[in-house]
Amino acid sequence: TDTDSDTDTDTDIALAAELIISELVDHDTEPGARFLEIYNGTGASVSLDDWTIQRYANGSTTALNVSLSGGTIADGDTWLVAANQGNFEGEFGVGVADQFNGSISGNGDDAWAIAFMGTVVDVYGVIGTDGTGEDWEYEDSVAIRNGSVSAPTDTFNVTQWTITAGSGAATPGVR
């Protein structure tokens, strides 16, 4: 997909593949306020037409996919997908989330990925592993990607994340 005015789709695909998961929240009191946030630090706007969020529940190796079609993330901006509009907006405010989908209902022990054209680009957790008791478990907590991390990885690295108990540390829409 050519995302700008040039004719070099290979460059655009390389840029697009630099999106990262920047925050995950398993809200401690309001399950409908759970969300996943994606950050664009590519230097250009990125169309989400070929992107999906993948949730691997309870150690599964089969993904539940959420399409991100129809949106664009500006450079330096985030795209936030929340579980339930009413619950999320009650907790964090109207207009903060870009998309709502009930599949964003991970309970803190699920692995997540973002995929471009079907290829996993960035992950949180270990696909195929139930996160209960793992160092990446974020049940009733917030997992925020450290600000120094700007490149995606398809192999999870817990040192790139800060996990804080409770949902008070959540910063939806802010990287």
Side-chain angles (χ1 to χ4, degrees), residues 4 24 29-30 33 38-39 54-55 60 93 97 100 145 148 152 154 158 164 173:
D4 56 28
L24 285 163
T29 61
E30 183 52 67
I38 299 168
Y39 174 72
Q54 299 177 339
R55 178 177 154 224
S60 178
F100 298 94
R145 197 79 169 260
S148 61
D154 61 1
V158 73
T164 305

Side-chain angles (χ1 to χ4, degrees), residues 89 93-98:
E89 289 179 348
V94 175
V96 177
D98 298 289

Side-chain angles (χ1 to χ4, degrees), residues 73-107:
I73 305 178
D75 177 49
D77 205 355
T78 62
W79 185 267
L80 194 140
V81 183
N84 178 283
Q85 184 172 2
N87 298 114
F88 179 87
E89 289 179 348
E91 290 293 315
F92 299 111
V94 175
V96 177
D98 298 289
Q99 185 175 338
F100 298 94
N101 188 295
S103 295
I104 305 298
S105 59
N107 57 3

Side-chain angles (χ1 to χ4, degrees), residues 87-156:
N87 298 114
F88 179 87
E89 289 179 348
E91 290 293 315
F92 299 111
V94 175
V96 177
D98 298 289
Q99 185 175 338
F100 298 94
N101 188 295
S103 295
I104 305 298
S105 59
N107 57 3
D109 63 0
D110 298 335
W112 296 86
I114 53 174
F116 181 66
M117 299 179 74
T119 300
V120 169
V121 172
D122 196 34
V123 297
Y124 180 89
V126 179
I127 296 170
T129 300
D130 184 317
T132 303
E134 298 291 328
D135 58 358
W136 52 272
E137 181 180 15
Y138 66 102
E139 183 176 0
D140 297 332
S141 300
V142 177
I144 297 176
R145 197 79 169 260
N146 298 332
S148 61
V149 178
S150 60
T153 178
D154 61 1
T155 303
F156 181 68

